Each structure stands twice: as C-alpha cells, then as structure tokens.
Amino acid sequence: MHSLVQTVLTDHEKLALKEFIDLLQASDKQYFLRNEIQQAFIEYCEKTQKPAYFFHSSPLAQLIHFTHELILEDGSIWLVLRPWVASQQVWRLSSDLSQFEQMPMRSLLDVRDRWVNRYQPNILEIDFGPFYEKSPSISDPRNIGQGLTFLNHHLCEQVSTNREFWIEALFQVLRQHEYDGISLLISNRIHSGTQLAKRVREAIQFIDQRPPNEPYEKFHPELQELGFDPGWGDTAFRVRETLELLEHLIHNPEPAFLEAFVSRVPAILRVVLISVHGWVGQESVLGRPETSGQVVYVLDQARTLENTLREQISQAGLDFLNIQPHVIILTRLIPNCEGTLCNQKLEKLDGTENGWILRVPFREFNPNVTQNWISKYEIWPYLESFAEDAEKELLKILKGCPNFIIGNYSDGNLVAFLLARRLKAIHCHIAHSLEKPKRLFSDLYWQEMEDQYHLSAQFAADLLSMNAADFIITSSYQEIVGTPDTMGQYESYKCYSMPQLYHVIDGIDLFSPKFNRVPPGVNEAIFFPYYQKEKRNVSDCERVQALLFSREDPNVTGYLEKTEKRPILAIAPVNSTKNLTGLVECFGHSQELQHHCNLILVTNNLHVANTARADEVEEIRRLHRLIEQYQLHGHIRWVGMPLPTSDLGEIYRVIADQRGIFVHFARFEAFGRVILEAMSSGLPTFATQFGGASEILQHYENSFLINPTDIEGSTQKLLNFIDQCNQNPAYWQEISDGMIQRIQDEYNWKLHTRQLLLLAKLYSFWNPVYQDNREALLHYLDALFHLIYKPRAELILEQHYRQ
C-alpha cells in the first residue's frame, strides 16, 4: 500500500485527490464508510468528467477501492485501507497532502473516540496478539476457515522434523483416554513413545493370525497383554486397520493417515450442547423469534451427534463394555412456561437412545424476572451462577466430565467457556450470528444503546469465548472475513473501541487454525424434495394448501384472486433485517410480477397486539401500509402464526407443487437456514447477496443472488427467471433438481457431524502440545472476565432488582 499511496500523492492525481477531499468536506460530514466513499467518487468523476479509465484503473481509483473508512480531522485525513480480506492498514495524510505515514491501529481508535467526543487519554487496552505469536498460523487468506486441513499438515511436518518429540507427544495423548476409570487404547504396560512404536508392530503380527471377522471380545485379552486396551476396533480386520494407520503415522506421517487415525479414536463420549436462552423443546417450542433458528440447529445437531457417536463407539469395539454416548442439550428452565415442557428438568430427545434436554433454572435474584423468559439482551447477569449450577447437574447426570462442550450464540459460549475451563473439556464456539456487526457504530455508540441492548456485556462475552474456544466453526467463509468489499463478522472484533471503557488492539487472530468452515444440514425427515410423494401425508398437504391459499383464519390476512398463478414464497420472522417490507415493495412496484405471480408471506405474527418488541411492531405496521399503498388485495396472502416445523416442510413442497419460487430478501444473512430448507424441498431460491447465502448459491450467483437495496434489479432477476420458465417448461425442473443436489452433496448433518467430531478429536491431540501458551491465555481471559464482564453484568442485575 505504501507505493500506491505514494504514487497518488506524488503524481498528477494528487490534485484529483485534493478535489475529491474538498467534495467530501463540503458535505459537513467527518466520517465516511466505504459505500459513501464509493458513491462520492462516482459523483466526483461525473462532475469533473473524468474518462472511464480514470474511474476504473487509475491509482486514485485503486486507492478509493481499498478505502473502507475515511475520517476528516483538523489537520489530517485518515484512511482505513483493506488491501485484502482480514487485513487493515491505517494511513494518515496531512491536510495539504504533503506528508503521509502509516499509523498503528491504536491511533485510529483514538481518532474514533475523538469523533464521538469521548476521547480518554488513558484507557484499558486489550491485545490477544501475543498469545498467538508462537502458534502456527495460516498464511494465505484464501485458506482461512480450513483449520483442520492446516493442522493435519502442520502436525505431520512436526513429526517428520522432530520425530522423537512428537511420537512421545502422541503416546501421551493416547494414554490419557479412559471412560469411568476404564482405560482405553493404551494401558500402563506401555511406558513411552518408543515402546509404543515397537508394540504396534507386535500387535499387527498378532492380529494377522486372527480371522478378519473375529469379534474383538474373543481376542482382547491377548491384545491387552501387549498393552493395547479396548478402542481399536470391533473386529480383527478393523483393529488391524487402526493399528496400521498408527504405524504409518509413526514412520511415514501424512495428513491422510493422521485424519483417518484420529477419526477412529474414541476420544468423544460425552457431549454437552449449550443454548442458554431457553424455550428449547420439541413440540411447538422452538425458541422465540430471535432464537428459533438456533434451537432448530441445536436439536438437529444433537440428534445426529448421538447417532454418529453410537456408530463410532460400536466400530471402536466398545459395545462389550456397555459404553454408550451421552448427549445433553443444556438450557435454562423457565418456571412460567406457558403450557410447554420448558419447566421440566429433563426431557428425552426424540430420535436418540441417550440424548436429553437438561434445563437448569436461573437463581432467583428477582423472581419477577427469573421465572419468566428473558431476552438475549438481558440474560448476562445470570450466566456465571447458571454455569456453576449446571456443572453440578451435568456431573450428576453424566456420571463424569464431558469430553466436548459446544457453545451456541454469545451467551451459550460464555457458559461453555466457564464450564470447559473447569471441566478440562474441548470447547467448540458457534456464534450463528454476532451482534456487533448488525448495528452500525454499535461499538462507538455503545453508551446510547446500553439500556436497551447491553452491548458492553455482550461484546466482552464474545471476546472471551471466541479466544477461549479450542476451535470455532462457522457456516460460511464470509462469517470470518467477509468479502473483498465487506468485513466479516469475526473480523469486526479484530480492532475496535468502546469509548471510555476499553480499546481492543487485537481482538482475534483471523489466521488462526481454530477457524473451521463446517456448514450445517437440514432435517431430511422434514425438508425433503416435493416429488417424494410416498413420504408426504395427504391430509397434511391438503391442510397446508388450504392455509396458504384459501382458509379463513384470524391469523391470516389477504386473499388470492387467481390461485393458479406462480407463487412467490417468503418465510421469515418479522423484523427489519429480514426485510419482508422490502420484498412487498419489490412486488408492489411491478405490475408484471403481479400479473404472473402471487406473493405468500409466512411469518411468526401479523398483529401488533401480539408483540411488545418495537422493531417488530413497526415492521408489521409497515407491511400492512404497503399492502394498502400498492393495492395488493387479491395478489398477496400473509400467514402470521407460529407453525410446527413439519408444516413448514410441507409449505415449501406445496409451493414447489405449483412450480413456485422462494425469495429471501434479507438486508443481511449470516448463513440462512431457510435457504437450505427451500432448496432441499426443490424450490428455485433467490437470496440476498449480503452474507453467507452467496456461498450456498455459488453456482447460481449471477441469476439467483439479489441485492435487496436494488428493487429494480431484483425485480428484473425474478422476471427473467419467470420468462425462462414460461418459454421452456423444463427450466424450472432443471434449476429445482440442481438446487436439491447442491444441498444433498454439501449441506447435510452427517457430513457436518463427522467433521465436527474429527475437529474435536484433532484439537484434543493439538492442545497438550501448546499447553503452556494456552494456560497463559486462559489466565488473561480470567482477568478480563472479572475486570470487564462481571461489572457490566452486575449493572444489569441492579436494574432487574428494581423491576
């Protein structure tokens, strides 16, 4: 970047930059973000009649392209450049453009504080950078999110370069495995890595004499004499395979051998998934609108985990010891449960043999609060004591410590951090979506938002848990580092200011191998292709069809004059981010769309009287106003009620029966579970280009990714598809089949779970090697927990006492 900045300031383009800055100053603004900078540059080029090459390829155009923030301050112009993903640079130019220099990030944070008139000369600085310096790091930004692959290669390289040390480390890791006092894999008959290498060869020679299909129970005493305890396989053939993988790993380490061997190690037997918000259940209790997607995710993940673990334990030859997996979803118990089972301590998880929902109540600091459901913005004061109480319940039910703890969302991950720290378990961090990037300048204006959102506690919790986690899984690459044009969710925590509270100099290492992209799947028993008639219930189909097209109901508004038109379906909670109002505007603006299609909205609510959330009230009112404004009566139908998941699956299929389409018009979507559901059901799907949907629709991006801020362009993409379907009836089927195949190949829970367990096992190998550095990090996190998080949470608790 130095050469580019220098070129702009020493070439004839220096005058153009001065003119451009003058244009910005004339707006009476000081702080400009990327889209504003880009738009201002377009206006400047048009106003000064610059040629096309200047706008597209001049050095100044390149500099503007890389500029994500521009701040005008007395005597200085500050540029935040992002030359590539996961990288930011700060440059300060003198106001006369005679001088320039690259500045440290902490200087930028001071500038931001001055901009909001909250500069403080001495402020706490948080810097996690030193804790990652000695750890291996991914060098190519394109490989961010592929931590598993990176670590496999790194570990194998270490074995090759320092064989004795790493074989000893491998021995130490293998010997620690046990279950309720039962030694697994290696017994105390083997005393070192060197001895292990010799015994592996002896064990293979012994197994060679056994019939391949002979059950492990018949020859395990002889194998144990050699020092190999249960866990290597259920038959002689599988035991031999596993031992050979270990031998390859010792003598000829390659990533494929490491991955294959680690996948067979029975290191994960007890798993806890944490979703604290509550309202977690199986019969019409899938969270509140703000958490429903997360609850569905956790339930599906837990079921598949239990089933996969059961299969792996059997293949490891542990059935004869009666070892069973134990999977628990940990959530809060809600006394005022509104007729649901959310006040029941223990609930069996359907579709599992040993999967459970464990509900632990919040301590009753104020029963008026803690006996009811608590919003995710108000939950922070109760999490530390919840973790303490949950630990006792988990140890009692599991009859031992969990091996693996999975945190969900910011609050669930804070609890996961506290529990994993005490129980020495592997901690997986899953955010689903992070709150910080959702609100513009939420860090700088945190004080104005504090009473409503308590961002100071939430951002602190995010910093703690994402750095404490052994690994982080995301559904998309963009969650981590965004795109060349937009910042990723985790990237937004890299460097930021909470004025008069703290500065984050380096909040997370985006190049750390702890980041892994592991997308989820869908429940294939519910969301399956529309043409699988044998799996569909005829009465359910007729009932859902009536709900969507004809049935009168107090929670349904609108009617359809011509039900044979191609339906456009949207399913989303009513909030500004999901942008259903934008979709209605898009539909209302186009007479041609109304001529060809009906619009069907399925939401959680359509009456303002049924919600206390201000943003939901405004969106509902605006939807009603738009329907009147565009006179959409006869063209739109709005179903606004909570529906069971099975009905949602049938809704997609009923729309597909009529060769309809699905549109997700969100302003931003971190990933988009509904996109997977619609595609797996066979609906051609249009989705927002902002967020992870672009990765799901990567093969269809030119035609099916839409910009929700561009009503005209979005309308044209919908009409282009409809025209092609009308001209070629096979086109709808071609797109439908392709989208079904895309989900089946890339987004399924079995693949997700295998990757998740492999990661947990690999990081259980990895952590002991870097234990010293990790302990220092955990002590630092403990200090931040008590210095920053607890005081902010206690302030919220004081407010609740007064309620």
Side-chain angles (χ1 to χ4, degrees):
M1 284 291 105
H2 182 277
S3 60
L4 178 60
V5 176
Q6 186 176 44
T7 299
V8 170
L9 294 184
T10 57
D11 202 355
H12 63 276
E13 296 189 12
K14 179 177 178 179
L15 176 60
L17 176 58
K18 183 67 170 67
E19 292 173 343
F20 177 63
I21 296 298
D22 290 342
L23 178 67
L24 294 178
Q25 288 175 327
S27 68
D28 292 327
K29 289 184 63 178
Q30 290 180 283
Y31 208 128
F32 300 87
L33 298 178
R34 188 174 190 275
N35 59 335
E36 298 170 311
I37 299 166
Q38 296 282 323
Q39 185 58 43
F41 189 62
I42 293 171
E43 293 173 6
Y44 166 73
C45 291
E46 290 175 349
K47 182 178 179 181
T48 56
Q49 298 182 333
K50 296 292 184 185
Y53 82 85
F54 180 87
F55 174 75
H56 290 289
S57 57
S58 68
L60 179 56
Q62 293 177 51
L63 183 67
I64 295 298
H65 175 76
F66 291 129
T67 302
H68 279 246
E69 296 178 30
L70 189 153
I71 307 171
L72 302 176
E73 194 178 41
D74 292 340
S76 299
I77 301 161
W78 294 80
L79 303 179
V80 180
L81 304 183
R82 191 168 176 263
W84 50 83
V85 296
S87 175
Q88 293 185 50
Q89 297 178 5
V90 180
W91 291 84
R92 182 169 66 86
L93 317 181
S94 60
S95 56
D96 62 359
L97 303 183
S98 62
Q99 298 177 351
F100 69 95
E101 61 180 326
Q102 187 172 356
M103 302 294 291
M105 294 302 295
R106 55 171 47 88
S107 298
L108 173 66
L109 300 184
D110 288 340
V111 173
R112 288 173 175 168
D113 287 358
R114 288 196 291 269
W115 180 64
V116 294
N117 296 317
R118 288 194 172 130
Y119 172 69
Q120 182 177 315
N122 297 305
I123 191 168
L124 175 66
E125 291 187 342
I126 298 174
D127 186 359
F128 288 97
F131 298 102
Y132 292 99
E133 286 177 354
K134 295 182 181 179
S135 299
S137 181
I138 293 170
S139 57
D140 189 338
R142 291 171 297 182
N143 294 331
I144 289 173
Q146 298 180 42
L148 173 64
T149 301
F150 175 85
L151 276 186
N152 280 343
H153 283 84
H154 179 79
L155 284 171
C156 289
E157 288 172 6
Q158 295 300 315
V159 176
S160 299
T161 57
N162 194 349
R163 185 172 175 274
E164 290 185 6
F165 171 79
W166 285 95
I167 290 175
E168 190 63 31
L170 179 62
F171 162 70
Q172 294 296 341
V173 170
L174 291 176
R175 74 182 301 192
Q176 71 184 3
H177 294 296
E178 58 86 29
Y179 179 84
D180 286 353
I182 302 171
S183 173
L184 301 178
L185 297 178
I186 295 176
S187 71
N188 56 14
R189 293 174 184 267
I190 299 176
H191 304 102
S192 68
T194 304
Q195 188 180 20
L196 172 64
K198 293 178 181 178
R199 290 285 179 88
V200 167
R201 173 42 45 193
E202 294 176 24
I204 291 173
Q205 290 172 350
F206 164 74
I207 294 295
D208 280 342
Q209 302 170 22
R210 321 298 301 190
N213 293 326
E214 184 175 4
Y216 171 76
E217 301 95 285
K218 292 191 175 182
F219 59 83
H220 77 87
E222 293 94 330
L223 206 57
Q224 286 181 285
E225 281 293 319
L226 292 172
F228 294 96
D229 282 334
W232 296 95
D234 58 339
T235 65
F237 179 78
R238 190 168 179 86
V239 170
R240 189 184 196 282
E241 273 191 335
T242 309
L243 289 169
E244 284 183 334
L245 285 170
L246 178 57
E247 186 178 45
H248 279 301
L249 196 56
I250 291 171
H251 298 290
N252 185 27
E254 292 182 13
F257 294 145
L258 177 62
E259 185 169 320
F261 176 71
V262 169
S263 69
R264 295 187 176 208
V265 173
I268 306 300
L269 301 169
R270 298 182 174 109
V271 182
V272 177
L273 303 89
I274 304 175
S275 180
V276 182
H277 295 134
W279 233 257
V280 176
Q282 300 176 94
E283 295 181 8
S284 303
V285 196
L286 295 174
R288 293 302 200 200
E290 64 185 32
T291 60
S292 59
Q294 177 194 142
V295 173
V296 171
Y297 180 106
V298 172
L299 288 170
D300 287 347
Q301 187 185 62
R303 290 189 185 99
T304 317
L305 267 171
E306 200 267 356
N307 292 329
T308 303
L309 281 172
R310 189 167 296 282
E311 179 183 329
Q312 290 186 356
I313 287 171
S314 178
Q315 290 176 341
L318 299 179
D319 282 349
F320 88 104
L321 294 176
N322 198 31
I323 292 177
Q324 294 188 29
H326 207 150
V327 174
I328 288 180
I329 297 174
L330 173 64
T331 187
R332 64 167 296 226
L333 184 146
I334 305 175
N336 294 339
C337 63
E338 301 179 17
T340 71
L341 297 179
C342 292
N343 64 345
Q344 181 176 306
K345 179 180 177 180
L346 207 59
E347 180 184 352
K348 180 75 179 297
L349 187 61
D350 295 342
T352 68
E353 293 183 41
N354 202 18
W356 303 85
I357 300 172
L358 170 64
R359 301 183 180 93
V360 176
F362 285 166
R363 291 182 190 171
E364 292 193 351
F365 299 102
N366 179 356
N368 291 331
V369 176
T370 54
Q371 290 193 6
N372 299 295
W373 181 80
I374 301 174
S375 164
K376 65 182 181 181
Y377 302 115
E378 304 285 336
I379 206 168
W380 308 106
Y382 310 100
L383 299 182
E384 184 179 14
S385 58
F386 175 81
E388 293 170 357
D389 297 339
E391 180 184 351
K392 298 172 188 174
E393 294 295 336
L394 286 170
L395 292 175
K396 189 188 306 179
I397 292 171
L398 292 172
K399 297 181 175 61
C401 291
N403 314 109
F404 186 27
I405 296 176
I406 304 171
N408 288 272
Y409 200 71
S410 299
D411 46 16
N413 276 297
L414 186 76
V415 174
F417 155 58
L418 296 171
L419 285 173
R421 180 90 166 93
R422 292 173 59 88
L423 299 174
K424 307 298 182 187
I426 295 295
H427 171 197
C428 168
H429 179 289
I430 308 177
H432 301 286
S433 67
L434 291 160
E435 204 70 29
K436 184 176 177 293
K438 288 182 181 179
R439 293 178 174 82
L440 188 62
F441 296 131
S442 57
D443 50 356
L444 290 176
Y445 289 106
W446 70 271
Q447 285 148 308
E448 285 80 352
M449 304 181 190
E450 189 70 359
D451 286 345
Q452 183 175 3
Y453 297 114
H454 303 296
L455 299 178
S456 63
Q458 176 151 340
F459 293 175
D462 288 333
L463 277 180
L464 292 167
S465 60
M466 67 177 64
N467 282 285
D470 295 288
F471 66 97
I472 297 169
I473 70 169
T474 67
S475 298
S476 67
Y477 175 85
Q478 292 190 35
E479 284 179 55
I480 310 170
V481 290
T483 69
D485 298 330
T486 60
M487 188 177 291
Q489 293 189 63
Y490 283 93
E491 189 179 0
S492 72
Y493 285 81
K494 180 70 174 174
C495 178
Y496 66 94
S497 170
M498 301 285 280
Q500 299 176 334
L501 189 59
Y502 59 79
H503 280 177
V504 175
I505 306 300
D506 190 347
I508 185 69
D509 180 9
L510 300 168
F511 290 86
S512 168
K514 72 165 54 183
F515 282 104
N516 288 271
R517 177 185 171 272
V518 186
V522 295
N523 188 331
E524 295 174 9
I526 295 173
F527 303 104
F528 54 86
Y530 69 98
Y531 51 71
Q532 293 182 359
K533 303 291 186 182
E534 71 282 359
K535 295 173 69 173
R536 297 175 66 177
N537 182 289
V538 174
S539 62
D540 286 345
C541 179
E542 291 173 349
R543 177 174 53 79
V544 166
Q545 199 164 26
L547 177 67
L548 294 178
F549 293 102
S550 60
R551 193 180 93 196
E552 292 188 5
D553 189 285
N555 291 314
V556 179
T557 188
Y559 66 95
L560 303 175
E561 290 177 350
K562 298 180 179 179
T563 57
E564 69 278 7
K565 288 182 183 179
R566 191 183 304 275
I568 298 174
L569 172 68
I571 298 179
V574 183
N575 61 54
S576 58
T577 303
K578 300 305 181 186
N579 196 31
L580 290 172
T581 53
L583 176 58
V584 173
E585 277 197 273
C586 179
F587 186 72
H589 269 292
S590 174
Q591 292 296 320
E592 193 173 355
L593 264 184
Q594 295 171 45
H595 173 74
H596 290 290
C597 303
N598 290 316
L599 178 60
I600 300 176
L601 307 179
V602 178
T603 73
N604 55 298
N605 186 22
L606 59 78
H607 301 297
V608 295
N610 293 340
T611 179
R613 294 178 58 88
D615 58 340
E616 189 173 332
V617 167
E618 178 54 34
E619 284 296 297
I620 291 173
R621 286 175 174 163
R622 190 159 176 242
L623 280 169
H624 284 294
R625 287 198 302 269
L626 288 169
I627 292 171
E628 295 296 329
Q629 176 183 336
Y630 291 107
Q631 291 297 296
L632 295 177
H633 306 291
H635 302 285
I636 190 170
R637 191 158 163 88
W638 178 5
V639 179
M641 65 178 80
L643 293 168
T645 310
S646 56
D647 278 4
L648 292 177
E650 194 56 39
I651 285 172
Y652 292 118
R653 290 187 289 273
V654 165
I655 298 299
D657 288 337
Q658 294 198 202
R659 297 299 190 262
I661 58 181
F662 182 81
V663 179
H664 193 60
F665 214 70
R667 291 188 171 93
F668 174 81
E669 185 61 66
F671 183 66
R673 176 179 51 85
V674 292
I675 298 169
L676 299 187
E677 294 172 354
M679 291 173 67
S680 65
S681 303
L683 277 176
T685 298
F686 293 79
T688 177
Q689 69 184 43
F690 302 119
S694 60
E695 293 178 37
I696 304 173
L697 289 166
Q698 63 179 355
H699 300 309
Y700 305 94
E701 58 185 27
N702 293 331
S703 301
F704 290 89
L705 283 177
I706 53 179
N707 181 349
T709 65
D710 180 7
I711 296 292
E712 185 177 336
S714 299
T715 302
Q716 195 56 54
K717 285 193 175 184
L718 293 171
L719 289 172
N720 288 344
F721 175 76
I722 292 165
D723 287 345
Q724 289 186 71
C725 290
N726 291 340
Q727 294 169 20
N728 175 16
Y731 182 67
W732 185 95
Q733 191 68 55
E734 175 189 333
I735 298 299
S736 172
D737 290 345
M739 290 194 170
I740 290 171
Q741 196 63 49
R742 168 74 174 153
I743 301 305
Q744 290 178 346
D745 290 345
E746 300 291 335
Y747 298 91
N748 66 80
W749 278 115
K750 289 182 180 178
L751 180 61
H752 169 99
T753 304
R754 285 198 297 269
Q755 285 289 98
L756 180 62
L757 289 173
L758 182 58
L759 282 163
K761 294 173 181 181
L762 184 65
Y763 283 91
S764 71
F765 268 66
W766 172 255
N767 283 349
V769 178
Y770 283 92
Q771 191 61 36
D772 291 344
N773 200 42
R774 180 161 175 77
E775 279 301 312
L777 169 62
L778 291 172
H779 286 307
Y780 185 68
L781 291 167
D782 286 341
L784 293 179
F785 176 81
H786 290 282
L787 282 171
I788 296 177
Y789 175 80
K790 283 192 71 170
R792 305 309 305 178
E794 286 166 359
L795 288 174
I796 304 171
L797 188 60
E798 289 177 12
Q799 295 176 8
H800 289 184
Y801 271 126
R802 296 192 292 269
Q803 291 181 12

